Amino acid sequence: MMAITQDLKTDKKIFIQPLTATKRITSIDLLRGIVMILMALDHTRDYFHADAFLFDPTDLSKTNEWLFLTRWITHFCAPVFMFLAGTSAFFVGRKKTKNELAKFLLTRGLWLILLELTIVNFGWFFDFTFFNIEFNVIWALGASMIVLAGLIYLPFIGIIIIGAILIGAHNLLDGVQVTGNTIQAFGWSLLHQSGEFNFFGRTFFVGYPILSWVGVMALGYCFGKLYNPSIEAVRRKKILILLGSAIIILFILLRAINIYGDPRPWSYQASAAFTFLSFINVFKYPPSLLYILITLGPAMLFLAFTEKPLNRLSKIVNVFGRVPMFYYILHLYLIHALAETAAYFTGFQWSDKTIWMNVNPELKGYGFSLGTTYLIWIGIVILLYPLCRWYDRYKTANKEKWWLSYL
């Protein structure tokens, strides 16, 4: 990713040259690869863990430490995915005019929304009638790209201010509730208030209101400037450490005050361990200010300390980060298909796993222990690797094919 010189006496690697505009940033691919692998853990737990159909793993009255942390660690997936999508847009803009970049973001955003409502939704439910239609992370990704297509025409500082306001102030709107099964309520849900609606004989569920996600992507776009060729790695590392540390400190201070930044205040629990879990138990739907701080802060620190040549393991992880959309669709279908098979061979009907929900008492008795779920997750990641590696090589060898940029 960058040129290095080897000090033969001290055996220290000293970064001396900046990144070039044409090379991929391997630390970013590595971070994205890790969150994609964690995403598979979350969805494997959704479909295989016995308790996934009985209660929310972050419900402190029912969960245990290991189950809570299994769910909590996957909180990093969506914000890092969204933030780095903005950063990738900045990188694409290096090779395009503003108008070309805006067109790319607009068309890719529309494509992602279409993908969410068709291929992705079918992957969740395996239901040809599309009775349940969900607006989840891919919808939010596409909608945020569409908004970003307009934001890129603003001065850079203007994008930063808008992104910061959307992230920092959107919790002020938590008290604004639009109820009922109406178009107005649905529209507000798409913006800020997660909800479920019934129209045209279908159930529409909005899991990812976009207001704060637009802010995350906008700041991710601005973040890409840190990787301009004029900024050397040593300077970038210092900035990332300061930025990541400041974000984490801000999270701790705001969370300790317990007044603003998350609709779910923390409280003292029966044990110190559960009090800590309560402290970090932040709200995701929509992502609160504190949720975004506690996920993006550590991400900055990770990027600060991983901008170096890859070892064998990180090269493997990087493959997943280079083909995120291909991986996302593939892992969803594979996990669901395997869960259907597992349900069938443990006494359930194929249709029992078609209508999938976070909590579904009808599936009581199905599922496996958390340890077994982890083993299934590892097996799924191993199965996905050769397919992702093949697709990564195919993309690299066929860069002239424009449609590959949409996958």
Side-chain angles (χ1 to χ4, degrees):
M1 179 175 64
M2 60 177 68
I4 61 172
T5 183
Q6 181 70 41
D7 187 327
L8 297 177
K9 293 181 179 180
T10 62
D11 195 36
K12 292 181 179 178
K13 294 175 180 179
I14 305 173
F15 300 108
I16 61 172
Q17 293 185 17
L19 296 159
T20 66
T22 58
K23 291 186 178 180
R24 291 187 68 97
I25 315 301
T26 55
S27 58
I28 288 179
D29 284 335
L30 180 61
L31 176 58
R32 186 160 40 214
I34 289 173
V35 300
M36 299 307 289
I37 291 173
L38 289 176
M39 187 184 299
L41 170 61
D42 193 33
H43 297 157
T44 302
R45 181 193 58 77
D46 280 334
Y47 278 102
F48 285 93
H49 186 227
D51 292 341
F53 308 99
L54 305 180
F55 61 87
D56 183 340
T58 62
D59 183 345
L60 295 180
S61 67
K62 298 178 181 179
T63 192
N64 59 67
E65 292 93 332
W66 193 246
L67 177 58
F68 178 96
L69 291 174
T70 298
R71 169 58 176 148
W72 185 86
I73 193 65
T74 64
H75 280 349
F76 285 85
C77 299
V80 171
F81 192 54
M82 195 76 63
F83 187 83
L84 294 183
T87 305
S88 295
F90 180 86
F91 295 155
V92 172
R94 289 172 171 174
K95 299 174 288 185
K96 297 179 182 290
T97 66
K98 278 280 173 62
N99 288 342
E100 289 172 339
L101 176 59
K103 180 180 178 181
F104 171 76
L105 290 170
L106 176 62
T107 55
R108 192 164 196 264
L110 291 171
W111 161 246
L112 289 174
I113 293 173
L114 177 63
L115 203 64
E116 173 77 282
L117 300 180
T118 54
I119 294 174
V120 173
N121 259 271
F122 183 78
W124 282 118
F125 297 102
F126 284 0
D127 178 13
F128 287 104
T129 68
F130 284 88
F131 179 80
N132 294 285
I133 299 175
E134 296 196 343
F135 292 76
N136 285 326
V137 65
I138 304 303
W139 131 260
L141 186 69
S144 297
M145 283 187 177
I146 293 172
V147 177
L148 184 61
L151 290 179
I152 62 172
Y153 288 99
L154 297 176
F156 213 72
I157 187 63
I159 303 175
I160 293 176
I161 291 172
I162 290 175
I165 290 174
L166 288 175
I167 292 173
H170 80 94
N171 284 122
L172 294 172
L173 299 173
D174 290 346
V176 180
Q177 302 287 318
V178 182
T179 59
N181 192 61
T182 65
I183 294 298
Q184 293 86 347
F186 179 66
W188 181 238
S189 186
L190 291 175
L191 287 176
H192 183 68
Q193 177 184 310
S194 180
E196 183 176 303
F197 305 87
N198 294 286
F199 301 121
F200 316 113
R202 298 287 183 272
T203 297
F204 295 81
F205 176 74
V206 180
Y208 280 71
I210 67 166
L211 208 55
S212 48
W213 291 121
V214 170
V216 171
M217 182 173 287
L219 291 187
Y221 175 82
C222 298
F223 179 77
K225 202 167 187 177
L226 270 180
Y227 290 86
N228 274 342
S230 59
I231 300 179
E232 293 186 351
V234 172
R235 181 187 172 201
R236 179 167 45 253
K237 182 176 181 180
K238 291 179 180 178
I239 294 172
L240 288 170
I241 291 174
L242 288 173
L243 188 59
S245 300
I247 291 173
I248 293 172
I249 291 171
L250 180 59
F251 165 80
I252 294 172
L253 292 175
L254 287 176
R255 191 58 165 162
I257 295 171
N258 219 17
I259 296 175
Y260 178 77
D262 196 278
R264 184 161 49 192
W266 69 277
S267 60
Y268 287 100
Q269 303 292 313
S271 68
F274 266 68
T275 297
F276 172 73
L277 297 186
S278 178
F279 193 84
I280 64 172
N281 191 17
V282 287
F283 199 71
K284 182 180 180 180
Y285 305 104
S288 68
L289 166 61
L290 293 177
Y291 174 95
I292 293 170
L293 292 178
I294 194 54
T295 51
L296 292 187
M300 302 296 171
L301 295 181
F302 179 90
L303 290 173
F305 292 103
T306 55
E307 196 168 315
K308 55 188 177 181
L310 300 174
N311 58 32
R312 187 173 182 180
L313 178 60
S314 56
K315 286 181 180 178
I316 292 173
V317 175
N318 245 43
V319 170
F320 298 119
R322 291 168 63 91
V323 291
M325 190 54 58
F326 178 81
Y327 171 95
Y328 182 88
I329 294 173
L330 202 62
H331 99 287
L332 187 59
Y333 276 76
L334 177 60
I335 289 172
H336 195 169
L338 291 175
E340 292 269 11
T341 304
Y344 179 78
F345 282 106
T346 53
F348 290 81
Q349 300 298 315
W350 295 101
S351 58
D352 292 333
K353 289 290 290 179
T354 297
I355 305 302
W356 171 85
M357 297 174 65
N358 281 332
V359 177
N360 185 358
E362 293 180 7
L363 286 171
K364 185 176 181 179
Y366 165 79
F368 306 88
S369 69
L370 192 59
T372 300
T373 301
Y374 267 82
L375 292 176
I376 295 170
W377 163 58
I378 294 170
I380 286 169
V381 172
I382 291 172
L383 286 173
L384 289 171
Y385 175 72
L387 294 171
C388 290
R389 183 179 60 177
W390 164 81
Y391 184 65
D392 179 38
R393 291 177 175 176
Y394 180 80
K395 283 187 69 175
T396 302
N398 295 274
K399 292 182 178 180
E400 73 284 354
K401 295 182 178 180
W402 63 269
W403 56 269
L404 288 174
S405 63
Y406 288 81
L407 294 173

